[in-house]
Amino acid sequence: MNYPRAPATFTHPGVLVNRAQLNFVKAKVAAQANPWYDAYNAMLVDPLASSTRSPSPVPTVACGSSSMNPSIGCFAERQDALAAYANALAWYISGTKAYATKAISYMNAWAGGIKNHTASNAPLQTAWSGASWARAAEIIRYSNAGWPSGDIAAFEKMLRNVYLPMILGGSKNNVMMEAAQGIAVFLNDAASYDQAMARFATRAPAFVYLTSDGSCPKAAPINGFTTCSQVQGFWQQYSFPENGIAQETCRDFTHVGYGISSMSHIAETSKIQGTDLWTTDVGTRIRYALGFHSRYELGESVPSWLCGGTVDLRAGKIDFAITEDSRALQVDPTVCSGSMSDDGGANRARIILEAVRLASSAQVPSLHLLIARESNILQLELVLRILLTYLPESTEPKVYIDLLHQIANSAVHAPSQSSLRPVQNGKELSDKEARYQVRRLHLLPLAEEQDLQAGCTDLLSLFLIHRARKIDLETGSIPEIQELLEPFLNRDPYLRTWTVSNILPLRRLNYEYYPDVEDPYTLEAFERLEGRPAIDSFLAHSVRVGGTETIQSGRDIRGVVGPWIYGESSRKRRKTYHDRRRSSLVSPRPAGQVASSKEEECQTAWSDVNDWLLDLGLRDFAAAAETLEQWDGPSDVDYDGYNDHEDLDVDISQTLTLCYAQVGLSMLYANSETTPSTFEKSSGVLRKVSHLSSSDAHPALEEIHTSSVPFVSKDYLDQLSEVYLLHNALLRRNNPMTSSTQASVSFASLVLRSCVVLQKLGNPKSCRATAGLAAFAKPEEQMNELHKTLQKVPVKTRDDNAWAAVRQQILWLRNWQFQASGIESDDGKESTGIFGKVKRMNAEIEMLRALLRASCYDLAVHVYCMQDQRPIADGTLEKTILSVAMSFYDGASNGNRTRGGVLKASEIVAAFQNHFPQSQYFHEANALLAATHSMSFYSLTLQHGVPFQPVNIRASRDPLSLIGKILEQNPRSYTKLDDLIEIGRNLVRAKLGSVRDPSSPVEEGAKIGSPNDNQDQQLHESSRRIISMASEAALTEGDFDTAYSYIVNRLSPALPTPDQPPEATTANDRNDDDISWRAAYLAGRSSPSSSSSPPSLRRLEQRLELLSLSLLLAPPPHLVEILHVWRGAETDLTALLARESAEEDRWNSKADHGRTNIIPGGFAPSAADTDRAANQGITRARSAKPKPSGGNNNNNNNAEDAPMGLFDVARGAAKAFQKSAFPLRDSAAAAAAASGDGARGGGKMSPTSVLAGSGEDSGSEGKGGRVRKRDVVANAVTGGLASGIGWVIGAPPPAGGKG
């Protein structure tokens, strides 16, 4: 809600009465004029004004309901405050110092005594007293009454700490707001003044009803009423058919009088402080309230609808404020200065005094007649100074305009129907007294210093300007000033300039544009404004009017700033001639006083407007753009008909217009907003700039690929610098980016349309950033921005048409002269565009990447593979396609090629592979995708709980190790050996890392991927390594048979013959051997995890078989370790054989001794059978071959001599190896002889052929006898160890198989 705000400077005295009003009453009392004289005497005889009365302060004023029960100091406080006010009035009117001293004593006593107010009526009590304290203090403080500054400070502290918080804290009544307003004026407290007036703005409508309020009175927010019924109950009135009903009407008219009095006091104080409430809703409500209640006070019958037909008419006396009609005369000698000479004639003195008297009382017709009759004495300058000094400012101009015309033209005629009143002073004053009083007249000078500095010499013009300032100071009525000046505007150019540049804009600001502004301008303050602060002040309310979105800055520049700038030359002259003072009003203009050139003057002032517009563009670009739309520049000024006949010089106007157009371009580069609406408004700004600069460089924003696109040369871009985009450089006339030229407008247009394209592509940028990108960015910076733009394109995937348009837009952004056909040569030269420094092929590569990301494969194939001249070279195209595919692959979270990034990569490869049928890279990519897809069916988690992602394959130095993790984390996955081998083979085909175990030693120069490698060998090695890992996984899960099967059937390498030299084996052979012996050794050393289930003979034989294989293939450093495991297995086998032999002997013994009863159904042997069995046993014992000397025979003498066991062979081989390698030659020869001619021929033997050889040893049966597997193993171990270890230590094998 609008409400009167505190003025910039408070007027003092200014509570209820001002100095002029006090002087008016003082004059009336001095003249013993009634009713003032009688009222003054009545006040003096009142006990409150008694000189013997003393103050009665109390520390705590406690006032209950109606200031009774309790009533401590309530009456004394109110009466003492009224007494202080009565004595203050008596002092000012009479000038008797005793009254001032008495008033001061009351205020000092309470300032030093009171601490607080309490009880229920404390807020009202405080307000009643506070209102009177403020009135009294204002008069005493500002009338030279001798109130010490220390006492004033104490009194201020009392009002601020004891009264003001209580009043503002409970301001429900009008008197509380009256008191708060008065105290705020005395304290110069603008915040408290505003708070009080804000409350009053809601309280006044809630106290007096108008039918325009609706069917129910308004409620003050502080009362908290929300419904009409609540308000009606509070008013005790339920129908409101007439204006003027008051809240307290149904209570009693006495309280109505209290409320109306306070409202009038507030209105009058507000008027003194610069806001006239009498002409507002407040004055209307007071008038209707007085009229309504006066009817019933005067005897009119009370209607039944009003308070039930009965009202309490105890209205009493209503204390109204001094209104406008009572302020018709003001005499204030303190404003007079200078002197007037007396020619010594008493008659002349009396005429002058009579003229002063008539002017003071505003008796203009009589003064007119006096001037007409005494024109030889009352000449122009004297009359004007008398009128300036004594004619009340409230006198309407129409009363004395005719007189001014006549005296200015030296043709004063007596007005009709007037009579000259007698010269009263002539009869009462002696000649000496008359001359003395004339000398004491302090007539104001017509001219003020600023007008002299501006070069004004016309007396009437000086009078009118000075008079206008006095009227504004006293009444603030600009319309009255305008009424006074208009008839004389053509008399003097300075008067017209002053009126146009001050009164016209001030009238518009205060009365037409912003009548409700809280702090209206005074003429004095308006004239002091200069430069940029003036522009800021004039346009402070123009952007957001009344809280709406209305933009009125264009109107205000045209109607306020433009006329104000019209007087800029006068303000500059005042500065130029500040030190030159005039002693004569009629002296000619000093020599050399020539105004500055109009161009310089206007440019200085209009440059401030341009600065303001640019700053507005930074704060609110929409408002600045709207301002440019509303206003056509310095030539577009509304002088309201006062100055239409004077126009700016054509050249000056053109210069100023171009400067104004430069503001528009500067706003574009200063603005940082990137919304579509901003770009649309920017387009409007450019249209305006094009119009102002007579340029056609800005067609519609949509015309991007047409011939109408403006051209910007490379030379123009080369001359630009980042310095030109600095804020303080934007408005420089030599700035090539913002000065209104064809090139700058064309460049700005292209930049703006580039912004629109970027915004549509999802990468919005301001004009400043876009211009910098086009003109100053390095090639790599433009490339990064192009990449970012294509990353953000909001077009849906697989929309070929939309992406084809995107490509056209990108190519246009690279080259602003790119046509719709898309044909553009790329000769290596830079283009003009925001991506102009990016080579065409690089731009196309980024575009291809974007198309692939958007799944626009058909469009990409059509553009980049099916054209006669491909935009991208084949090799680069192939690498780009696969690079994008692999980027999706690397970003995938799942390896399944039917979803996510792997699907995307598969689609890209599939879309282009037919166009690159011979490409090895596409084959590798397909192999990688196949391997990844197969691996996706297994559960795989990396370290620290990181789930497997396809990128792990490409990032791994050893991709095959991932198969090992699959085997670890997927139970029984080793059974899917063929699938795992195929995965490995695809990894090899994809050319990823190494297929060898990183822990295995690899000779230098034999690494995978080196020129010595081939894919077949890599595939072979990967298969063997995966088999090894599968066998290990099988062992881990306790599946020895599967591991044994994988090693024996799929992992055993071909063995060299004993006589084959070591250098005959290759690195690949050795690598195969390394994989095989490690796998065999790992399986051979495995044993049952549970000790409760001893190993079977078959298992031990298999382990020894595997260990024998590892002994044959392992390098020398590992033989000791393998033999150690061998001994353990041998011990187990020996123990097992011993148990079996003992068990067999036990059963045989039972059978031999005829214990047939043990076997159910058995028959006792006959004596012949028993003898035969004994003889057979003796025969076998005798024919048995003796055992080696180191052997032990622990068997029962009756047991059958078994052939030499495998453990005997292994133990013998170990002992032989420990003693010397040479005794192994015979064994090696025997093994070689057993191997047949093939071995002697230098060929290789497979481990299975060695283990299954037919050679006999001393423990085996004859040629036709049974050969047990462990015997074969023994033979193989003996021969293998002899050959293998002999080769290790350098011993040649025995020739011909002989020792």
Side-chain angles (χ1 to χ4, degrees):
M1 176 180 290
N2 292 328
Y3 58 92
R5 303 293 181 97
T9 303
F10 284 102
T11 298
H12 301 290
V15 178
L16 186 59
V17 292
N18 61 12
R19 191 180 305 280
Q21 292 170 321
L22 289 169
N23 289 339
F24 167 76
V25 175
K26 180 177 182 179
K28 291 296 183 180
V29 171
Q32 298 184 2
N34 283 320
W36 299 276
Y37 185 74
D38 290 341
Y40 173 70
N41 288 328
M43 181 187 70
L44 293 181
V45 299
D46 192 278
L48 293 175
S50 172
S51 61
T52 60
R53 190 180 185 279
S54 300
S56 303
V58 295
T60 299
V61 177
C63 305
S65 179
S66 300
S67 292
M68 302 293 292
N69 193 28
S71 178
I72 302 174
C74 303
F75 183 78
E77 183 187 33
R78 293 197 304 271
Q79 293 301 96
D80 284 355
L82 289 172
Y85 182 43
N87 280 277
L89 288 172
W91 144 249
Y92 195 97
I93 294 173
S94 67
T96 302
K97 193 63 177 287
Y99 290 119
T101 302
K102 196 66 177 177
I104 292 172
S105 69
Y106 285 111
M107 292 186 288
N108 287 348
W110 281 90
I114 189 169
K115 302 300 180 183
N116 64 335
H117 295 83
T118 62
S120 61
N121 215 33
L124 272 177
Q125 172 69 28
T126 308
W128 290 332
S129 304
S132 299
W133 285 131
R135 296 177 206 165
E138 271 285 282
I139 294 174
I140 293 298
R141 184 176 188 176
Y142 296 100
S143 61
N144 297 320
W147 194 8
S149 59
D151 293 345
I152 294 175
F155 190 79
E156 285 182 333
K157 182 178 180 181
M158 177 193 75
L159 292 180
R160 189 182 303 278
N161 297 335
V162 179
Y163 285 79
L164 197 57
M166 177 66 71
I167 294 169
L168 289 177
S171 52
K172 295 183 179 181
N173 297 77
N174 290 327
V175 69
M176 295 182 183
M177 286 161 283
E178 175 195 356
Q181 180 195 41
I183 292 173
V185 171
F186 178 76
L187 296 176
N188 291 299
D189 186 349
S192 297
Y193 186 97
D194 289 346
Q195 187 176 353
M197 297 310 292
R199 293 279 181 87
F200 179 69
T202 61
R203 178 58 184 160
F207 187 78
V208 177
Y209 170 78
L210 296 179
T211 55
S212 60
D213 295 340
S215 60
C216 191
K218 294 184 178 181
I222 197 170
N223 288 330
F225 299 143
T226 58
T227 64
C228 183
S229 60
Q230 290 177 318
V231 177
Q232 290 173 343
F234 185 68
W235 285 49
Q236 301 178 28
Q237 173 67 30
Y238 299 93
S239 62
F240 300 88
E242 292 186 24
N243 292 316
I245 305 173
Q247 172 201 313
E248 310 249 33
T249 298
C250 294
R251 180 181 183 183
D252 56 65
F253 280 24
T254 300
H255 285 85
V256 174
Y258 293 160
I260 295 176
S261 293
S262 292
M263 290 177 67
S264 67
H265 296 167
I266 294 171
E268 190 61 16
T269 299
S270 178
K271 185 171 184 178
I272 293 171
Q273 299 304 329
T275 304
D276 188 358
L277 294 181
W278 292 107
T279 60
T280 65
D281 176 82
V282 173
T284 302
R285 293 181 188 273
I286 293 175
R287 178 166 58 86
Y288 275 113
L290 289 172
F292 179 85
H293 293 87
S294 297
R295 288 160 43 192
Y296 305 112
E297 285 283 350
L298 295 175
E300 183 175 325
S301 60
V302 179
S304 59
W305 58 263
L306 179 61
C307 306
T310 302
V311 294
D312 188 344
L313 299 178
R314 296 175 298 169
K317 181 175 67 174
I318 298 178
D319 179 20
F320 293 107
I322 301 176
T323 59
E324 181 68 19
D325 293 337
S326 64
R327 298 172 57 219
L329 182 61
Q330 301 182 63
V331 181
D332 188 0
T334 62
V335 300
C336 298
S337 62
S339 63
M340 178 181 176
S341 301
D342 185 5
D343 60 0
N347 186 50
R348 174 183 173 84
R350 290 187 177 91
I351 291 172
I352 293 174
L353 291 176
E354 179 64 7
V356 169
R357 185 186 69 81
L358 294 175
S360 299
S361 60
Q363 299 180 43
V364 176
S366 298
L367 177 63
H368 192 166
L369 184 57
L370 176 63
I371 295 172
R373 293 184 178 183
E374 304 292 343
S375 59
N376 59 329
I377 297 175
L378 300 176
Q379 296 181 359
L380 176 62
E381 183 175 353
L382 176 58
V383 172
L384 291 178
R385 293 184 69 183
I386 291 174
L387 290 174
L388 180 64
T389 306
Y390 292 108
L391 183 66
E393 285 73 19
S394 59
T395 305
E396 295 182 0
K398 64 183 179 181
V399 174
Y400 56 95
I401 284 178
D402 186 57
L403 173 62
L404 294 177
H405 272 295
Q406 293 184 29
I407 61 175
N409 296 324
S410 301
V412 182
H413 305 288
S416 60
Q417 298 179 355
S418 297
S419 60
L420 182 63
R421 296 180 63 180
V423 182
Q424 299 177 2
N425 289 342
K427 296 181 180 181
E428 301 174 356
L429 298 176
S430 64
D431 293 345
K432 181 178 180 180
E433 183 66 23
R435 294 189 188 97
Y436 175 74
Q437 289 195 12
V438 168
R439 284 195 296 270
R440 290 189 61 189
L441 293 175
H442 297 291
L443 300 181
L444 296 174
L446 296 180
E448 296 187 279
E449 184 176 1
Q450 60 264 39
D451 303 313
L452 292 175
Q453 294 170 1
C456 180
T457 59
D458 181 70
L459 295 180
L460 181 59
S461 297
L462 292 171
F463 164 79
L464 291 171
I465 294 172
H466 199 164
R467 174 74 178 173
R469 291 174 181 139
K470 286 175 60 65
I471 292 174
D472 178 72
L473 183 63
E474 293 298 328
T475 69
S477 178
I478 298 300
E480 287 187 13
I481 295 175
Q482 191 170 359
E483 180 184 357
L484 171 66
L485 299 177
E486 279 184 348
F488 306 97
L489 290 182
N490 293 328
R491 180 180 177 87
D492 182 74
Y494 177 77
L495 176 62
R496 183 177 63 252
T497 300
W498 186 86
T499 302
V500 170
S501 62
N502 291 285
I503 302 304
L504 176 59
L506 188 58
R507 184 201 74 194
R508 284 172 171 166
L509 282 175
N510 287 356
Y511 289 86
E512 297 178 15
Y513 295 169
Y514 308 107
D516 297 327
V517 70
E518 60 187 43
D519 187 16
Y521 291 97
T522 64
L523 180 57
E524 178 185 6
F526 190 88
E527 285 191 280
R528 287 199 301 266
L529 292 172
E530 292 182 352
R532 177 61 187 275
I535 305 299
D536 292 339
S537 181
F538 297 156
L539 301 176
H541 305 288
S542 63
V543 176
R544 296 289 183 266
V545 179
T548 67
E549 294 298 318
T550 305
I551 308 296
Q552 297 290 4
S553 46
R555 178 204 67 182
D556 290 359
I557 295 175
R558 182 185 303 108
V560 176
V561 177
W564 177 81
I565 288 179
Y566 180 77
E568 178 68 10
S569 59
S570 299
R571 287 184 282 275
K572 292 187 68 176
R573 281 195 293 272
R574 290 202 299 271
K575 291 182 178 180
T576 304
Y577 298 96
H578 179 72
D579 296 331
R580 300 189 180 186
R581 302 181 178 272
R582 299 174 180 269
S583 58
S584 172
L585 295 176
V586 296
S587 62
R589 179 179 298 178
Q593 182 175 342
V594 180
S596 303
S597 70
K598 289 185 177 180
E599 182 176 1
E600 291 180 356
E601 294 169 359
C602 294
Q603 282 184 347
T604 300
W606 286 114
S607 65
D608 292 329
V609 178
N610 294 339
D611 288 338
W612 180 88
L613 279 170
L614 181 57
D615 291 343
L616 177 63
L618 288 173
R619 302 191 312 270
D620 190 340
F621 181 79
E626 182 66 21
T627 302
L628 263 70
E629 187 68 27
Q630 295 174 357
W631 185 51
D632 290 332
S635 60
D636 180 19
V637 178
D638 180 10
Y639 294 109
D640 201 21
Y642 290 143
N643 202 49
D644 289 344
H645 61 282
E646 288 192 15
D647 295 322
L648 287 173
D649 180 84
V650 176
D651 293 336
I652 296 176
S653 177
Q654 185 177 3
T655 300
L656 294 177
T657 300
L658 291 178
C659 291
Y660 174 53
Q662 186 173 1
V663 175
L665 293 177
S666 300
M667 284 167 47
L668 295 184
Y669 295 125
N671 179 38
S672 61
E673 299 178 19
T674 59
T675 61
S677 62
T678 297
F679 294 141
E680 186 63 34
K681 294 182 184 301
S682 299
S683 179
V685 170
L686 268 183
R687 284 195 298 270
K688 187 76 171 190
V689 171
S690 298
H691 170 72
L692 294 172
S693 60
S694 301
S695 170
D696 57 353
H698 182 63
L701 285 177
E702 292 76 14
E703 299 175 0
I704 293 180
H705 302 303
T706 66
S707 59
S708 63
V709 172
F711 174 76
V712 174
S713 67
K714 188 70 170 58
D715 294 337
Y716 173 78
L717 293 180
D718 290 340
Q719 70 172 321
L720 302 182
S721 170
E722 293 181 84
V723 175
Y724 294 135
L725 288 178
L726 297 177
H727 183 75
N728 60 355
L730 289 174
L731 293 179
R732 292 179 183 173
R733 292 289 295 138
N734 61 347
N735 189 330
M737 297 187 70
T738 58
S739 57
S740 304
T741 63
Q742 181 78 15
S744 64
V745 176
S746 298
F747 179 69
S749 179
L750 290 168
V751 166
L752 177 58
R753 277 178 284 176
S754 298
C755 291
V756 174
V757 173
L758 287 173
Q759 197 274 334
K760 291 179 180 178
L761 294 178
N763 186 25
K765 285 194 170 297
S766 66
C767 288
R768 181 191 189 95
T770 304
L773 189 61
F776 318 128
K778 297 178 181 179
E780 56 270 21
E781 293 173 339
Q782 290 188 352
M783 188 67 183
N784 291 337
E785 200 59 45
L786 172 60
H787 177 74
K788 184 191 300 183
T789 300
L790 290 172
Q791 290 278 2
K792 296 182 177 180
V793 173
V795 177
K796 295 180 179 179
T797 58
R798 304 184 187 275
D799 190 343
D800 287 1
N801 292 333
W803 276 97
V806 169
R807 179 173 178 268
Q808 295 294 101
Q809 292 171 332
I810 290 295
L811 294 177
W812 180 84
L813 289 174
R814 180 185 172 270
N815 187 352
W816 285 327
Q817 273 64 54
F818 179 78
Q819 300 301 312
S821 62
I823 300 175
E824 179 188 15
S825 62
D826 194 354
D827 53 4
K829 295 182 180 179
E830 295 181 355
S831 303
T832 55
I834 64 173
F835 303 137
K837 297 177 184 178
V838 177
K839 291 184 178 181
R840 172 71 185 274
M841 180 179 289
N842 293 337
E844 293 284 11
I845 288 174
E846 287 299 317
M847 191 67 236
L848 173 60
R849 291 177 179 274
L851 293 178
L852 297 180
R853 288 194 295 268
S855 301
C856 295
Y857 309 125
D858 292 340
L859 176 61
V861 168
H862 174 75
V863 172
Y864 297 103
C865 296
M866 303 182 68
Q867 304 295 325
D868 293 337
Q869 292 183 349
R870 293 185 176 183
I872 305 175
D874 287 350
T876 304
L877 178 61
E878 180 183 7
K879 292 180 181 179
T880 302
I881 293 169
L882 292 176
S883 173
V884 176
M886 289 302 100
S887 67
F888 280 106
Y889 176 90
D890 292 342
S893 60
N894 188 290
N896 195 304
R897 67 193 315 167
T898 62
R899 69 186 73 170
V902 176
L903 170 62
K904 189 82 171 179
S906 301
E907 290 177 345
I908 294 174
V909 172
F912 288 92
Q913 63 184 358
N914 292 336
H915 298 279
F916 299 93
Q918 304 301 321
S919 172
Q920 177 64 26
Y921 297 114
F922 273 86
H923 292 304
E924 293 172 1
N926 275 318
L928 175 62
L929 294 171
T932 305
H933 179 71
S934 298
M935 291 175 69
S936 68
F937 294 98
Y938 295 97
S939 174
L940 183 57
T941 301
L942 302 182
Q943 67 275 12
H944 306 298
V946 179
F948 166 76
Q949 292 179 332
V951 69
N952 299 130
I953 299 177
R954 283 175 27 99
S956 176
R957 295 181 59 186
D958 179 23
L960 290 183
S961 64
L962 298 175
I963 297 179
K965 292 186 177 295
I966 290 175
L967 291 166
E968 292 175 5
Q969 300 175 20
N970 294 266
R972 297 194 62 77
S973 57
Y974 61 87
T975 61
K976 301 178 181 179
L977 181 61
D978 291 335
D979 184 41
L980 297 176
I981 290 175
E982 184 61 25
I983 292 175
R985 295 171 69 86
N986 279 326
L987 293 176
V988 172
R989 295 185 187 105
K991 299 293 182 65
L992 296 176
S994 172
V995 300
R996 294 176 178 168
D997 189 345
S999 63
S1000 300
V1002 180
E1003 296 181 3
E1004 185 176 358
K1007 293 182 179 178
I1008 296 303
S1010 68
N1012 295 331
D1013 284 325
N1014 57 74
Q1015 192 174 81
D1016 292 338
Q1017 180 61 33
Q1018 294 177 27
L1019 294 173
H1020 171 72
E1021 291 184 0
S1022 68
S1023 299
R1024 293 181 62 79
R1025 183 178 170 192
I1026 293 171
I1027 295 170
S1028 175
M1029 289 189 288
S1031 65
E1032 182 178 356
L1035 292 173
T1036 302
E1037 297 188 36
D1039 190 351
F1040 178 86
D1041 293 333
T1042 300
Y1044 173 81
S1045 174
Y1046 286 168
I1047 295 171
V1048 171
N1049 297 325
R1050 308 189 66 164
L1051 202 58
S1052 297
L1055 295 174
T1057 59
D1059 57 351
Q1060 183 177 355
E1063 58 271 13
T1065 59
T1066 65
N1068 290 325
D1069 293 336
R1070 289 192 291 275
N1071 188 59
D1072 285 352
D1073 291 347
D1074 186 76
I1075 294 174
S1076 299
W1077 84 259
R1078 290 178 183 276
Y1081 173 63
L1082 183 65
R1085 72 179 183 180
S1086 65
S1087 57
S1089 58
S1090 176
S1091 60
S1092 61
S1093 56
S1096 64
L1097 178 63
R1098 178 176 177 274
R1099 172 64 59 84
L1100 288 171
E1101 289 177 344
Q1102 290 173 334
R1103 286 179 58 196
L1104 288 170
E1105 180 182 355
L1106 294 174
L1107 288 171
S1108 67
L1109 177 61
S1110 65
L1111 283 170
L1112 292 174
L1113 302 177
H1118 299 279
L1119 290 178
V1120 176
E1121 178 185 358
I1122 298 172
L1123 287 174
H1124 177 73
V1125 178
W1126 176 281
R1127 292 192 186 98
E1130 178 192 35
T1131 302
D1132 293 340
L1133 180 60
T1134 300
L1136 181 60
L1137 288 175
R1139 287 197 299 272
E1140 289 182 354
S1141 178
E1143 186 66 22
E1144 182 180 356
D1145 290 343
R1146 186 172 64 86
W1147 284 102
N1148 288 339
S1149 176
K1150 291 180 180 179
D1152 291 342
H1153 290 81
R1155 298 185 63 183
T1156 57
N1157 59 335
I1158 297 178
I1159 301 175
F1163 297 92
S1166 62
D1169 292 335
T1170 302
D1171 294 338
R1172 191 184 308 113
N1175 294 329
Q1176 291 177 354
I1178 294 171
T1179 303
R1180 284 196 298 270
R1182 291 178 177 175
S1183 62
K1185 193 173 184 177
K1187 304 240 178 344
S1189 58
N1192 293 321
N1193 187 8
N1194 296 325
N1195 294 337
N1196 192 297
N1197 293 330
N1198 297 327
E1200 177 187 3
D1201 253 355
M1204 181 185 296
L1206 183 60
F1207 59 93
D1208 295 321
V1209 178
R1211 183 169 55 193
K1215 288 182 177 179
F1217 177 76
Q1218 292 174 356
K1219 292 181 178 179
S1220 173
F1222 296 103
L1224 294 175
R1225 293 177 181 174
D1226 292 338
S1227 300
S1235 65
D1237 295 335
R1240 286 191 298 271
K1244 294 183 178 180
M1245 302 176 295
S1246 68
T1248 54
S1249 65
V1250 173
L1251 296 175
S1254 59
E1256 296 180 349
D1257 66 345
S1258 58
S1260 301
E1261 295 187 5
K1263 181 179 282 188
R1266 176 173 64 89
V1267 180
R1268 293 177 295 184
K1269 190 170 185 179
R1270 60 174 176 269
D1271 298 329
V1272 176
V1273 172
N1275 292 334
V1277 171
T1278 304
L1281 285 175
S1283 176
I1285 298 174
W1287 172 79
V1288 170
I1289 64 177
K1298 295 180 180 180

